[in-house]
Amino acid sequence: MPATLYGIRILVLVGVVGTVPLASPHLGAGARGVAVAVTLGLSAVSGIVWLFAQDSERVLTMSLAVMGAAGGALAGLSPLSTAVALGCVVTSAAAVRLPVETSLAVAATTVAAFLAAGVISATPTEALFGYPLAFAGLWAFGRTRHAYLLRAMEAERTLVEARRAHVAETQAAALAERARIAREIHDVLAHSLAAVSVNLQAAEGLLSTLPEGSPELAKAIECVARAGTFTRQGLADARQAILALRDDTAPLLDQLSALAEERHADGESVDFSVTGRPRPVTTEVGLAAYRTAQEALTNARKHAPGQPVGLELEFTESELAVRVVNPLPAASDLGPLSASGAGYGLTGLRERAALGGGTLAAGPVEGEWRVCLRIPA
């Protein structure tokens, strides 16, 4: 309820209670004065309940009915006072807040109580006719206000639904655009990388038919084989990115398990473990975790080939952690790929983690190289 309207209602109630005792008949002066005192007390109590019962329709109806009966009778007993204001407030408020049948019953009770008390106390004829007309007019005004409020509420609901529909339409359009981009990336990368892989296999086959014994030939065959491996890995990575764009990624646990199995198939020793209770994560968090594990395993293969690697996925109440640990190799055991790369992989992972509100730590600890991602999830 607006504060101004609430204040006016309090002012009306206080004004009636404060001025009716000053009019004739005075409180307690004869039977009529006693009746004025009783109806005034009932009006004040029910009015206070009405002011504080705006959220309960049942209490609101009962308080308005009592105040209407008491206020109407009070107006009939003291027609020359401000008591008529109570009947006006009751009929208008009931018409605004209550269903039409209930509000009409409250208004009829107010009019009936006024007429009964007015006839008994010999209220002037003009008051007997004029006050009920005022009550009826204010009831009609209240019903108009009720209809206006209903239309306003319906318009607000319609606006909310329109906003929701707009948000859903925007999301659908964004998903459709992501799917279109995913199809384009798939068409470009899948065909080009597949063609490169086929040509590398053909080159490897041609090289293997040449006479053996040349170290350059062996190195060429090794480079071609390595390039084929990188091409297949790149194709798999492209598919993961496409799935992320399509918002159709597999659970993170399955992704990391498959990644560990792929490394096992390539002859690497990867011990994958899970702690905590696994749960679904968003696409962004899952992609950040997968990329961290992928980059860390690639670095372990480059810098410490043949060394066992530990891959751990941990779920806590508020975050997700991915840890990759491998022993630090001696300088003489560095792999042939240890000098490759520009060193931007971990930098990119740190930036990705920061975008998701997480952190990435990487470095040597007690003879091991540890990479740890922590991100809210």
Side-chain angles (χ1 to χ4, degrees), residues 241-264:
I242 290 168
L243 289 175
L245 277 174
R246 295 176 66 89
D247 200 20
D248 192 25
T249 55
L252 178 61
L253 182 60
D254 295 343
Q255 290 183 343
L256 295 186
S257 178
L259 182 61
E261 290 297 330
E262 290 176 7
R263 299 307 170 97
H264 273 301

Side-chain angles (χ1 to χ4, degrees), residues 148-164:
Y148 168 78
L149 292 177
L150 288 180
R151 288 194 297 271
M153 293 173 60
E154 184 64 27
E156 185 175 356
R157 282 195 295 267
T158 302
L159 180 60
V160 171
E161 292 297 329
R163 287 174 178 171
R164 290 178 179 172

